[in-house]
Amino acid sequence: MHPSVDADFNNLMGADMIPTIHHTDKLLYEQIYDFYKEAILQKRLKHDTRLPSYRVLAKELGIGNNTVLKAYEQLLLEGYITNIPRKGLYVTRIDHKDWQLQPVKRGAAHSANTSGKKAKSRFNTATHLVDEHHFPIRQWRKCSNWALDRISFQYEEYEADDPLKEQLVHYLYQYRGVQATTDRLLVGSGANAIFFWLAFILRNTCSKVVMEDPCYPRPRILFEEFGYNVKPVRVKEDGIDLTQLLTEKADLLYLTPSHQYPTGAAIPVSNRIQILNWAKKNQAYIIEDDFDCEFRYKTRLMPSLQGLDRDNRVIYIGTFSNALMPSLRVAYVVLPENFSVPYTAYRYLTNTVPYLTRQTLALFMEHGFWERHLKKMRLLYKKKYDTCVSALRKLPKTRIHANHTPSGLNILLRIDTRLSEREVIQRAQLTGITVTPVTNFYSNQQNRPRHPEVLLEFGSLPLEEISGVMHKLYHAWFG
């Protein structure tokens, strides 16, 4: 222990509570994060235990302050610790009752519109678009040619070895902590097709579904069309309102836990465990829509809810739309182990992605192009997000309030104005900017805020135009 370090350090943590830095491929901040996460989950660090300040720990370990800060930010984001102003960082209370938070060995993963005349929009921030100018077309063309060299002229609905599924099993475990096997992983043409399929196969065993409010409207509409009783539960800053959820009895729960759409909220780990316990108690299934999960700008990606599931209650849905291209129309669902709902007779309904597309995407992942593309796009979208936030901070703070969740490809804006939502949309349209009204995301209109809200999708906006777009919107709304 360095003599300059706090004298209370050993009393605060104990010698066995100081992370050990190893010379491995794992980043230093990840080692610190993993150490404290496991210590908290295994109850070696009790509730209300204070962690050392980042300066003290950085000096003790002989590393930079920013490295420790990054680890602490991730622990804060996921809810393992909490920041008490003027006191410090403390371990959060996590309810372990009737729950086993044991890490799963890697081997297990490989087993088995507004009306009226519109001005022409120069900038469309109303549709979830990606930056098409940075798509790796040369690498995609190369993989497509390789796939053509081994093209099959037969029906490939029931192929024993699907290379795309094998790549997905590896990717989902490595980056999202999802426990998947090829026989429980189904691929379909976009997330909406997956939602339709799930609503169809669950209709005889489930009748009531709880959904976030606000939320992506298409799943809600689909389940309503199939005759389900849809119960909206409001979303707070840390995700779905647990106080209300825990009083509900239902067969299904639809969640976007890592990046709630449209608010951007992320559910902390303590709340996730309570949600999983709720599902176990009610024998309910959770549909985890891992929407927009790939892009987080200040901390690393949050692990999936499915990765915490030890009772086989989570149905996991992912897609390539946001990270690659929406027009690809490839999504996937991972069903729980020992899934009790009869579905095998309807597997063929998900076989809607052409074999050539699956082969091309599998080769794209196998040869590392997918991983490199993700890294590049994370940097690009982070620049766009930072530019949006910087432009917003230069505007009067009392007029436009942003959700400021450093993730995803959108920012929720609450406009402090007497204008109606329709007038807000129309004024933006007159300046050549299309924005999304948030009204349609709400099922229970009582949950709507007093002031208009719009969703700014910045993914396709040119980086050099973002500041100008923000200023145009402000002047459109406030003159």
Side-chain angles (χ1 to χ4, degrees):
M1 180 73 65
H2 299 291
S4 59
V5 177
D6 265 349
D8 293 335
F9 188 88
N10 275 321
N11 294 332
L12 177 68
M13 298 300 294
D16 59 336
M17 288 293 98
I18 304 172
T20 302
I21 299 300
H22 300 282
H23 298 289
T24 67
D25 291 336
K26 183 174 283 190
L27 298 175
L28 296 181
Y29 90 91
E30 290 181 334
Q31 296 185 42
I32 298 170
Y33 161 82
D34 288 341
F35 176 86
Y36 285 123
K37 173 184 173 181
E38 292 304 315
I40 292 168
L41 292 180
Q42 295 170 10
K43 295 187 176 181
R44 290 185 285 115
L45 275 180
K46 305 295 184 183
H47 166 57
D48 274 347
T49 300
R50 182 166 68 90
L51 269 62
S53 74
Y54 70 90
R55 290 188 181 90
V56 169
L57 185 58
K59 196 164 187 177
E60 171 63 21
L61 297 176
I63 60 179
N65 292 344
N66 288 339
T67 301
V68 179
L69 270 173
K70 195 169 183 179
Y72 280 177
E73 284 178 351
Q74 188 71 33
L75 291 165
L76 275 166
L77 171 72
E78 297 185 19
Y80 292 104
I81 61 176
T82 187
N83 184 14
I84 301 178
R86 299 182 182 179
K87 289 188 176 182
L89 298 171
Y90 288 80
V91 174
T92 305
R93 181 185 297 279
I94 297 178
D95 183 12
H96 290 72
K97 183 175 63 176
D98 298 327
W99 200 257
Q100 296 296 321
L101 278 174
Q102 299 300 325
V104 177
K105 295 180 180 179
R106 178 165 186 154
H110 296 280
S111 66
N113 211 359
T114 59
S115 61
K117 187 176 181 179
K118 294 182 180 180
K120 184 178 179 180
S121 294
R122 183 184 175 195
F123 302 108
N124 184 359
T125 76
T127 307
H128 206 79
L129 301 173
V130 300
D131 191 311
E132 60 187 64
H133 301 292
H134 291 81
F135 181 79
I137 190 66
R138 184 171 61 85
Q139 290 87 347
W140 184 262
R141 184 182 292 113
K142 181 184 295 185
C143 293
S144 181
N145 288 334
W146 290 339
L148 281 169
D149 289 339
R150 59 185 77 174
I151 190 172
S152 171
F153 290 90
Q154 310 304 324
Y155 289 113
E156 293 290 347
E157 292 180 348
Y158 306 104
E159 71 280 7
D161 299 315
D162 187 335
L164 177 56
K165 290 184 179 181
E166 294 172 2
Q167 291 296 323
L168 278 170
V169 167
H170 174 73
Y171 165 73
L172 290 174
Y173 181 82
Q174 185 175 5
Y175 289 95
R176 306 299 300 125
V178 171
Q179 307 295 320
T181 55
T182 55
D183 59 319
R184 292 188 288 111
L185 194 155
L186 306 177
V187 179
S189 297
N192 290 324
I194 297 293
F195 292 137
F196 185 94
W197 185 79
L198 284 173
F200 173 75
I201 68 163
L202 293 167
R203 72 196 188 285
N204 293 326
T205 54
C206 302
S207 59
K208 182 178 178 180
V209 54
V210 173
M211 288 196 162
E212 301 164 316
D213 196 34
C215 77
Y216 182 49
R218 289 187 181 175
R220 183 184 76 227
I221 295 169
L222 268 174
F223 279 96
E224 287 174 343
E225 288 292 329
F226 271 96
Y228 289 80
N229 175 13
V230 177
K231 173 65 176 181
V233 173
R234 66 173 181 167
V235 172
K236 302 168 66 177
E237 289 184 359
D238 56 356
I240 194 167
D241 186 350
L242 276 184
T243 305
Q244 185 179 354
L245 173 64
L246 297 180
T247 64
E248 295 289 341
K249 291 185 178 180
D251 310 298
L252 286 171
L253 169 62
Y254 171 81
L255 282 180
T256 47
S258 295
H259 179 79
Q260 204 279 330
Y261 190 75
T263 68
I267 301 178
V269 66
S270 57
N271 291 18
R272 293 182 180 219
I273 293 171
Q274 292 186 65
I275 291 170
L276 289 167
N277 282 333
W278 172 88
K280 181 179 181 181
K281 178 182 177 181
N282 288 274
Q283 290 298 292
Y285 285 109
I286 300 171
I287 299 175
E288 178 182 12
D289 184 359
D290 212 10
F291 178 80
D292 228 0
C293 69
E294 293 90 357
F295 303 111
R296 186 164 289 278
Y297 309 123
K298 289 189 177 180
T299 53
R300 73 178 187 181
L301 303 183
M302 291 189 71
S304 68
L305 184 67
Q306 196 261 19
L308 287 175
D309 181 21
R310 299 294 176 265
D311 198 46
N312 299 318
R313 307 312 305 175
V314 178
I315 301 168
Y316 178 90
I317 296 177
T319 177
F320 287 94
S321 294
N322 301 329
L324 200 55
M325 53 179 167
S327 61
L328 190 64
R329 310 309 299 151
V330 176
Y332 45 87
V333 57
V334 179
L335 299 174
E337 191 175 355
N338 303 319
F339 192 37
S340 63
V341 177
Y343 74 93
T344 53
Y346 306 109
R347 288 175 68 105
Y348 73 95
L349 293 175
T350 66
N351 292 323
T352 52
V353 179
Y355 184 69
L356 181 62
T357 302
R358 298 204 308 271
Q359 283 278 12
T360 302
L361 184 52
L363 289 165
F364 190 76
M365 298 177 76
E366 179 185 348
H367 289 274
F369 300 136
W370 163 245
E371 187 175 356
R372 289 199 289 273
H373 176 66
L374 271 182
K375 288 180 179 179
K376 180 177 73 173
M377 298 313 291
R378 285 192 186 109
L379 291 174
L380 175 63
Y381 289 138
K382 182 181 185 303
K383 289 180 181 178
K384 293 190 177 188
Y385 171 82
D386 289 342
T387 304
C388 286
V389 172
S390 177
L392 284 168
R393 286 175 177 165
K394 294 175 182 178
L395 302 175
K397 296 180 180 179
T398 58
R399 294 294 186 92
I400 301 178
H401 306 275
N403 59 348
H404 290 312
T405 53
S407 61
L409 303 183
N410 53 72
I411 297 177
L412 185 69
L413 303 179
R414 184 169 297 168
I415 318 302
D416 190 0
T417 177
R418 293 183 178 180
L419 297 173
S420 67
E421 182 183 77
R422 181 177 180 179
E423 290 171 320
V424 165
I425 302 300
Q426 289 177 337
R427 288 195 179 196
Q429 188 74 51
L430 290 172
T431 67
I433 303 169
T434 305
V435 292
T436 302
V438 180
T439 303
N440 293 336
F441 292 88
Y442 285 93
S443 177
N444 184 351
Q445 297 305 308
Q446 293 181 352
N447 290 334
R448 290 179 57 190
R450 291 190 303 111
H451 298 292
E453 287 183 337
V454 298
L455 197 61
L456 181 80
E457 305 275 7
F458 60 80
S460 64
L461 289 180
L463 183 63
E464 65 276 8
E465 300 279 5
I466 290 177
S467 294
V469 167
M470 292 298 186
H471 285 283
K472 284 182 179 180
L473 287 174
Y474 179 81
H475 288 293
W477 296 331
F478 301 105

